[in-house]
């Protein structure tokens, strides 16, 4: 009998939970049509008022719990990240790439909300959409780029956990020198920002990009 953290489950129950997860993803995709939300892999996302908002459901297999993780990031930061990492072509990728692409800025979740379950996955999908709408309204009415930056710093470890989001947010707000300082500190601390390419770590690529950008601005 499968067991996880002391919780035991029959094979039939495990199979039922997996089937429920698949059914919910299908119901979310159907429910998103005409709602303003798009769906990818069972997750909801949309662009609104300069924000990219995503709502990702997690169906627990060993417990009858479904939760939604909510995140939002400024639309401006991914294009800056792609310029820094030499991937400007990603600007033309589908909007879903900002959610599930490999080379994107990862935002921290700002909320995790339990979604009451029901035998009918369509009912749960409707509840998830209602939660998504409420959190969307929260973002567009109360959030600011500065609040996003503060969350990244709070959730990260020594400012490194969400370094790409922190650096690109600072750049988007016109604080290039502060972004450069964060990159140089990360390099001194041996922190790579979660990305490694032939041109170096993200911290190194961003440092070099910022040095050139600041120098060009000084000359002009």
């Amino acid at each position: 009998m499968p067991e996880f953290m002391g919780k035991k489950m029959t094979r039939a129950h495990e199979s039922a939970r997996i089937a429920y997860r698949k059914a919910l993803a299908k119901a979310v995709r159907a429910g998103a049509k005409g709602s303003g939300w798009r769906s990818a892999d069972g997750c909801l996302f949309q662009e609104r008022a300069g924000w990219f908002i995503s709502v990702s459901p997690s169906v627990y297999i060993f417990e009858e719990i479904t939760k939604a993780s909510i995140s939002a990031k400024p639309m401006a930061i991914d294009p800056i990240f792609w310029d820094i990492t030499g991937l400007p072509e990603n600007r033309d990728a589908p909007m879903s790439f900002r959610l599930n692409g490999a080379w994107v800025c990862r935002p921290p979740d700002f909320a995790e909300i339990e979604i009451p379950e029901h035998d009918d996955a369509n009912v749960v999908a409707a509840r998830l959409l209602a939660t998504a709408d409420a959190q969307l309204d929260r973002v567009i009415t109360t959030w600011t780029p500065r609040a996003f930056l503060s969350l990244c710093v709070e959730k990260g470890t020594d400012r490194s956990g969400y370094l790409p989001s922190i650096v690109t947010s600072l750049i988007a707000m016109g604080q290039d020198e502060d972004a450069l300082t964060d990159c140089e500190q990360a390099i001194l601390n041996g922190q790579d920002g979660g990305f490694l390419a032939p041109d170096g770590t993200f911290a190194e690529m961003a440092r070099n990009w910022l040095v050139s950008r600041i120098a060009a601005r000084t000359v002009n």
Side-chain angles (χ1 to χ4, degrees):
M1 181 178 295
E3 182 174 344
F4 176 72
M5 297 183 66
K7 299 179 184 295
K8 294 184 178 181
M9 177 179 288
T10 65
R11 292 291 183 185
H13 195 179
E14 181 182 14
S15 297
R17 294 299 293 171
I18 293 172
Y20 165 69
R21 174 187 285 171
K22 293 179 179 178
L24 179 58
K26 183 178 179 179
V28 168
R29 184 169 61 251
K33 294 178 181 178
S35 69
W37 292 95
R38 303 185 197 179
S39 176
D41 300 324
C43 300
L44 296 168
F45 65 93
Q46 72 166 284
E47 172 194 358
R48 182 75 68 86
W51 292 96
F52 179 85
I53 304 100
S54 64
V55 181
S56 304
S58 297
V59 174
Y60 290 33
I61 297 301
F62 284 81
E63 297 179 88
E64 294 187 354
I65 295 174
T66 296
K67 292 185 177 181
S69 299
I70 322 292
S71 69
K73 59 182 174 179
M75 285 290 294
I77 67 174
D78 279 321
I80 295 172
F81 173 80
W82 296 326
D83 286 346
I84 289 171
T85 55
L87 297 168
E89 64 274 14
N90 284 351
R91 291 170 175 263
D92 299 322
M95 187 65 65
S96 60
F97 188 81
R98 296 180 187 238
L99 171 67
N100 54 28
W103 284 72
V104 297
C105 291
R106 299 294 177 192
D109 295 334
F110 67 80
E112 185 179 62
I113 301 171
E114 186 167 347
I115 309 298
E117 294 194 349
H118 191 279
D119 291 340
D120 186 346
N122 292 296
V123 172
V124 184
R127 291 170 177 168
L128 180 67
L129 280 161
T131 298
D133 286 339
Q135 295 303 310
L136 170 63
D137 183 66
R138 172 185 174 186
V139 169
I140 63 178
T141 57
T142 67
W143 264 51
T144 64
R146 182 68 59 186
F148 172 75
L149 175 61
S150 296
L151 180 67
C152 291
V153 172
E154 175 190 340
K155 295 290 187 179
T157 303
D158 298 327
R159 293 180 69 85
S160 66
Y162 292 99
L163 185 67
S165 290
I166 291 171
V167 168
T168 54
S169 290
L170 287 168
I171 294 170
M173 291 187 291
Q175 298 178 227
D176 288 11
E177 287 76 10
D178 291 335
L180 179 57
T181 296
D182 275 3
C183 291
E184 291 174 336
Q185 189 61 54
I187 293 168
L188 286 174
N189 293 339
Q191 298 158 344
D192 58 19
F195 294 91
L196 178 63
D199 291 335
T201 66
F202 170 78
E204 292 168 336
M205 288 186 285
R207 186 265 318 271
N208 296 340
W209 187 87
L210 280 160
V211 167
S212 296
R213 175 180 165 99
I214 293 170
R217 188 170 62 238
T218 302
V219 169
N220 294 331

